Amino acid sequence: KEDNITAVVHDLIDKVGLTEVSNSRNLSLSGGQQRRLSLAIALLKQPKVLFLDEVTSGLDSASADRVCKVLRKLVDEKNVMVICTIHQPSTKIFLEYFDRFILLSKGCIAYDGGTKNAKDYFSRLGHPVPIMTNPSEHYLELVNSDFGDSEVVNKIINAWEKDGGFDEEWDGNDKEQVTQPSSFSKPSFFQETQILLQRHFKIVYRDPVLYLGRCIVALVMNCVFAFVYNNAKKNTQDQTMNKAWLCVWYMTIPVMFGTVAVYVLSDELKAIQSEQQNGMLRPLNYVMAKSILTLPFVFVYALFALGIPGLALQNYPTTSFVEVVVLWCTIIYLYEAFAECVAVWIRNKVVGILVYLSYWIGSFLFSGLFLPLDDLPTIFKLLYYGTPFSYYIRSGYYLLMKDATFEPCDRALTPFEPVCVDSSAGKDVVEALHNILPIFVNEDTMAKDICVLLLMAVLYKTLYILGIIVRGREISIPKS
């Protein structure tokens, strides 16, 4: 009932100490008040299990104590299980409100048991709590892998793994016995890869911008180009150049959207670094999971970018459509690998996006569309061979034209038409276009071009793996 809801809301506001600001907007609240408000919102659902991340961060000692007191009351009166991460709790909060705590270091358990039993356990290990010292701070300092003694940290971890934990009852309400596995074992290579795949799939499902978002935008943009180049669907020789440019736009615009991958992956790699530091994953597993997830995305991306815009709006030949999709997927996968490489080696996201766009522009400039290879200065000819667009353009256009039938053209009637041959064969039309732009060739080079694109993708993927390893070593802690 509405009256009951109002009563519950006011009760929660009072419990978290927000009565004085109950009529204020969220944006006008201080950081600590906003944190208490987020806790009250979580409690509105009356959960049986409550997960909280650093619930006391940003709060003064009095507010932190009040929040923890509310949580303790929930546990005692409502039988709610509260699990939270917490840093540097006060002695009162640590000993009076928490029944049990888990101490983690390097991705391993250093202690899992009652808060009051921890004092005797660490004393037995030769690390008693000094007088007038907050016990929680003492335990955290002992297992700090960044600034503490690495040898001491390893001994504490090994002691817990070896002895199976502190074999005494903890001070919880039910007096359950604390048990700990005799050893800490990581999942196998394939198990870890499977776990990472499932996790990344959930991330993509919950935040589809990286993949589905690009698919939708590529569909819309390529449809726009299809309408702009509407006459290009006619098999008349005056549309030869327009067909060529439309083939280029269908690929280059979706490639440009790879900037989104640079932005998203830069943030993701920070989390991966943290997980590497804590020994929670192997770099190769992460790379493999990401690579496997990228493959179906690239195929779906191709269907969005070429399906309706190409088949439905531009009458692309069905006989060669599968080959066009394979070629398109190859170059997109290459640029995905390049985006990963940029994200891992360039820490600044904005600089990374600029580097990606510079490579995109360079690929365009040295593709052979604007200047033939023979007209490029010698030093820039390497860029022609080292950028991917030329390999896609010559094969992609040939695949679209090889089986096409055109209306023959009479040069006497159309003297100023760039492409005009007295033939209806698409290959002859491509040959005529080759005389204007040598990048277009009357030759099936698809196998060779795909191999070159795959070699480039392997190069970028290798650099990406090396970058993951290097960044992991920057933060790694020596093991015993």
Side-chain angles (χ1 to χ4, degrees):
K1 293 181 179 180
E2 186 175 346
D3 293 341
N4 292 339
I5 294 175
T6 303
V8 170
V9 169
H10 285 292
D11 182 58
L12 284 174
I13 289 175
D14 179 65
K15 285 181 177 178
V16 296
L18 293 177
T19 303
E20 294 183 0
V21 292
S22 59
N23 294 320
S24 303
R25 292 185 176 273
N26 180 36
L27 293 177
S28 65
L29 302 180
S30 66
Q33 289 171 335
Q34 289 182 354
R35 183 166 291 275
R36 281 183 276 162
L37 176 61
S38 64
L39 172 61
I41 293 172
L43 295 176
L44 271 176
K45 300 178 181 180
Q46 299 180 346
K48 292 298 182 182
V49 180
L50 189 62
F51 292 90
L52 301 170
D53 184 23
E54 299 185 26
V55 66
T56 60
S57 295
L59 302 179
D60 56 59
S61 57
S63 297
D65 181 77
R66 180 161 188 168
V67 167
C68 290
K69 186 180 292 184
V70 170
L71 295 175
R72 180 71 251 181
K73 192 173 182 179
L74 279 172
V75 172
D76 296 335
E77 296 181 359
K78 304 294 184 180
N79 198 29
V80 175
M81 177 183 289
V82 178
I83 301 172
C84 65
T85 60
I86 190 167
H87 295 286
Q88 292 183 315
S90 67
T91 303
K92 179 182 178 182
I93 289 176
F94 180 68
L95 294 177
E96 291 189 14
Y97 300 141
F98 287 93
D99 299 310
R100 176 177 179 177
F101 78 101
I102 300 175
L103 198 61
L104 300 176
S105 182
K106 298 184 180 182
C108 301
I109 296 178
Y111 178 80
D112 178 5
T115 53
K116 296 180 181 179
N117 292 335
K119 182 177 180 181
D120 292 336
Y121 174 74
F122 282 97
S123 294
R124 293 183 183 184
L125 294 181
H127 303 288
V129 179
I131 299 174
M132 304 297 290
T133 300
N134 184 337
S136 64
E137 291 184 0
H138 175 66
Y139 306 144
L140 288 172
E141 289 174 1
L142 286 175
V143 299
N144 189 302
S145 59
D146 294 319
F147 306 106
D149 188 330
S150 181
E151 184 177 349
V152 171
V153 174
N154 290 327
K155 285 183 178 179
I156 293 174
I157 294 174
N158 292 335
W160 184 263
E161 293 178 354
K162 180 180 178 181
D163 299 335
F166 190 37
D167 193 20
E168 284 190 16
E169 293 182 346
W170 62 287
D171 296 324
N173 294 330
D174 52 5
K175 296 292 182 180
E176 290 181 355
Q177 185 75 15
V178 176
T179 58
Q180 173 72 9
S182 58
S183 63
F184 177 80
S185 60
K186 289 186 177 180
S188 67
F189 181 89
F190 294 104
Q191 287 176 328
E192 188 171 306
T193 303
Q194 181 182 4
I195 292 170
L196 288 171
L197 267 174
Q198 292 173 346
R199 186 178 75 174
H200 286 303
F201 181 79
K202 288 181 180 179
I203 292 173
V204 171
Y205 177 77
R206 292 170 180 171
D207 185 13
V209 173
L210 178 58
Y211 295 120
L212 183 58
R214 279 193 284 172
C215 288
I216 294 174
V217 175
L219 170 63
V220 172
M221 290 303 300
N222 281 2
C223 283
V224 170
F225 277 103
F227 288 122
V228 171
Y229 285 83
N230 184 57
N231 289 334
K233 64 185 177 184
K234 302 175 183 177
N235 280 356
T236 56
Q237 294 186 33
D238 63 326
Q239 293 299 318
T240 303
M241 193 70 75
N242 287 339
K243 286 179 178 290
W245 274 108
L246 187 60
C247 172
V248 172
W249 293 127
Y250 275 0
M251 177 271 297
T252 55
I253 298 304
V255 164
M256 184 182 66
F257 295 150
T259 52
V260 176
V262 176
Y263 185 90
V264 174
L265 290 172
S266 294
D267 287 334
E268 185 177 293
L269 285 170
K270 294 177 182 177
I272 297 303
Q273 271 191 305
S274 177
E275 291 176 345
Q276 280 184 260
Q277 179 184 19
N278 292 319
M280 296 172 65
L281 59 78
R282 306 175 183 92
L284 188 59
N285 291 96
Y286 167 73
V287 173
M288 181 174 290
K290 288 290 292 184
S291 300
I292 293 174
L293 187 65
T294 302
L295 290 174
F297 155 71
V298 168
F299 177 72
V300 173
Y301 200 15
L303 295 181
F304 271 81
L306 300 177
I308 294 176
L311 286 177
L313 300 181
Q314 284 293 322
N315 300 326
Y316 271 17
T318 56
T319 54
S320 58
F321 184 72
V322 173
E323 295 173 285
V324 172
V325 167
V326 171
L327 182 65
W328 196 92
C329 288
T330 304
I331 194 168
I332 291 295
Y333 191 82
L334 184 157
Y335 273 90
E336 284 293 303
F338 180 73
E340 293 171 340
C341 183
V342 170
V344 74
W345 285 104
I346 301 178
R347 311 297 177 89
N348 187 292
K349 288 184 288 189
V350 175
V351 175
I353 290 173
L354 291 176
V355 169
Y356 184 94
L357 287 175
S358 298
Y359 185 62
W360 181 84
I361 293 170
S363 299
F364 226 140
L365 180 61
F366 298 105
S367 64
L369 282 171
F370 304 101
L371 281 175
L373 176 62
D374 294 337
D375 292 344
L376 287 173
T378 303
I379 190 172
F380 291 117
K381 288 182 179 180
L382 293 175
L383 295 175
Y384 172 86
Y385 293 109
T387 51
F389 281 3
S390 59
Y391 302 101
Y392 174 88
I393 291 170
R394 67 182 180 186
S395 287
Y397 192 65
Y398 174 82
L399 291 172
L400 295 176
M401 299 289 285
K402 65 177 183 176
D403 297 323
T405 302
F406 284 78
E407 298 176 6
C409 178
D410 187 348
R411 175 60 72 181
L413 298 177
T414 55
F416 301 107
E417 196 65 48
V419 177
C420 183
V421 293
D422 188 17
S423 172
S424 61
K427 291 184 178 181
D428 293 335
V429 175
V430 175
E431 186 65 35
L433 183 60
H434 173 74
N435 296 327
I436 303 172
L437 290 173
I439 182 62
F440 300 103
V441 295
N442 184 21
E443 179 184 357
D444 188 355
T445 59
M446 178 179 173
K448 180 172 67 175
D449 291 336
I450 283 184
C451 287
V452 173
L453 293 175
L454 287 176
L455 285 174
M456 289 184 181
V458 169
L459 172 63
Y460 294 137
K461 187 66 74 171
T462 302
L463 291 174
Y464 171 58
I465 294 172
L466 289 175
I468 291 287
I469 294 173
V470 168
R471 289 184 67 166
R473 287 180 176 177
E474 288 177 359
I475 59 174
S476 62
I477 305 297
K479 295 183 178 180
S480 58

